[in-house]
Amino acid sequence: MGDNVLKVSGLKVAYGGIKAVKGIDLEVNKGELVALIGANGAGKTTTLKAITGTLPPCKVEGTVSYKGESLKGSKSFHLVEKRLAMVPEGRGVFTRMSIQENLMMGAYTRDDKAGIDADIAKWFDVFPRLKERAAQMAGTLSGGEQQMLAMARALMSHPELLLLDEPSMGLSPIMVEKIFEVIRNVSKEGITILLVEQNAKLALQAAHRGYVMDSGHITMTGNAKDMLDDPRVKAAYLGE
Ligand SMILES: Nc1ncnc2c1ncn2[C@@H]1O[C@H](COP(=O)(O)OP(=O)(O)OP(=O)(O)O)[C@@H](O)[C@H]1O
Ligand SMILES: [Mg+2]
């Protein structure tokens, strides 16, 4: 207790008449990798947007606290300053900037030039595709390449909490493996992660704890390894 980085209590979100999130509690402790899994339309992305305060106009109830503080009204640059980074669903890159510039933008709150250069070199090493295309506009990258860049850019800010929305989406099986290797390594480095994924198996294999979301409710939570063995999770989310 007391070491949660993120605490969501009684969160409800309604888009007009559509109740997308119906009163959920969720917390992520320091250093944890927590998976949030669930079917299409369950309310996962809505939950992440409620956390970062990036929802379109809609009705929100409940509280979100990040390091004990409310994020209400925060702009995206406030979030980076507070060391919270989000990789949104699909592509979250600056399409009219080069790959190199996107990575530099990710690090705009830092002033350790040598460290920034070393990090860029590190990510080019992890994703050689990005290195080969360093000067190219990010908008010309393939979907999967943009996904890699979005992840690297988020990590350039050295976040304390990383929110990932379906990082494996649109990636080939080899790249999915690679992205998950990156996620596991980032977690080992001590960054706290909330991971939203359709790929429940990979997510639970990487995570410490998990939550299942179904039609706006959290229907199950527990230790990730136990959830992998749970017959209900197996039947509904692992196709076993
Ligand atoms: N801007 C919006 N206006 C109206 N309804 C919305 C809006 N955004 C989401 N919804 C609805 O809210 C529900 C939850 O959507 P959400 O995007 O949170 O689901 P999700 O769990 O992320 O699904 P997926 O796995 O497909 O990404 C869906 O029924 C969706 O149609
Ligand atoms: Mg979603």
Side-chain angles (χ1 to χ4, degrees):
M1 291 292 128
D3 64 349
N4 58 60
V5 172
L6 181 70
K7 190 172 171 65
V8 173
S9 308
L11 179 70
K12 291 185 185 174
V13 181
Y15 300 106
I18 300 170
K19 291 184 174 135
V21 176
K22 300 171 181 163
I24 65 161
D25 297 323
L26 174 155
E27 59 181 46
V28 185
N29 296 312
K30 196 167 169 50
E32 265 191 324
L33 169 45
V34 171
L36 176 58
I37 61 171
N40 291 123
K44 305 178 301 298
T45 297
T46 300
T47 300
L48 290 186
K49 287 184 179 169
I51 291 169
T52 55
T54 48
L55 283 167
C58 60
K59 188 157 182 265
V60 186
E61 290 173 56
T63 59
V64 171
S65 97
Y66 168 64
K67 295 196 284 182
E69 213 187 306
S70 165
L71 289 172
K72 229 175 223 160
S74 297
K75 296 270 185 296
S76 46
F77 63 89
H78 291 134
L79 299 176
V80 180
E81 280 160 12
K82 290 175 199 282
R83 306 198 38 213
L84 191 164
M86 159 119 152
V87 181
E89 206 169 21
R91 299 146 199 204
V93 301
F94 301 121
T95 52
R96 287 155 184 267
M97 287 187 190
S98 73
I99 286 140
Q100 178 97 21
E101 285 163 348
N102 265 274
L103 293 172
M104 307 274 288
M105 281 297 287
Y108 84 95
T109 52
R110 295 170 56 188
D111 54 12
D112 56 327
K113 176 138 190 350
I116 292 170
D117 289 346
D119 276 353
I120 291 179
K122 172 180 124 180
W123 290 115
F124 280 164
D125 217 35
V126 174
F127 300 120
R129 282 289 187 94
L130 299 182
K131 185 177 187 173
E132 289 160 21
R133 293 162 174 73
Q136 195 171 311
M137 291 292 133
T140 64
L141 291 174
S142 75
E145 289 162 355
Q146 290 191 28
Q147 189 75 357
M148 296 170 212
L149 177 59
M151 177 96 150
R153 192 191 62 193
L155 288 162
M156 286 298 296
S157 67
H158 282 183
E160 280 175 51
L161 176 64
L162 179 64
L163 306 176
L164 298 172
D165 196 354
E166 312 236 10
S168 75
M169 189 162 61
L171 297 183
S172 66
I174 288 172
M175 281 317 302
V176 170
E177 282 299 322
K178 181 124 189 176
I179 279 282
F180 268 86
E181 187 189 316
V182 170
I183 294 169
R184 284 191 297 268
N185 287 339
V186 166
S187 171
K188 279 189 200 130
E189 286 168 18
I191 296 177
T192 307
I193 304 173
L194 177 58
L195 167 65
V196 164
E197 256 296 335
Q198 284 287 334
N199 193 327
K201 187 165 195 169
L202 274 175
L204 289 173
Q205 281 172 341
H208 301 110
R209 284 194 306 118
Y211 290 89
V212 173
M213 197 163 184
D214 183 10
S215 310
H217 295 285
I218 298 287
T219 52
M220 206 185 296
T221 180
N223 178 292
K225 299 289 166 287
D226 296 342
M227 288 174 75
L228 276 171
D229 291 332
D230 190 300
R232 291 166 298 172
V233 176
K234 280 188 173 175
Y237 302 102
L238 305 178
E240 289 175 11

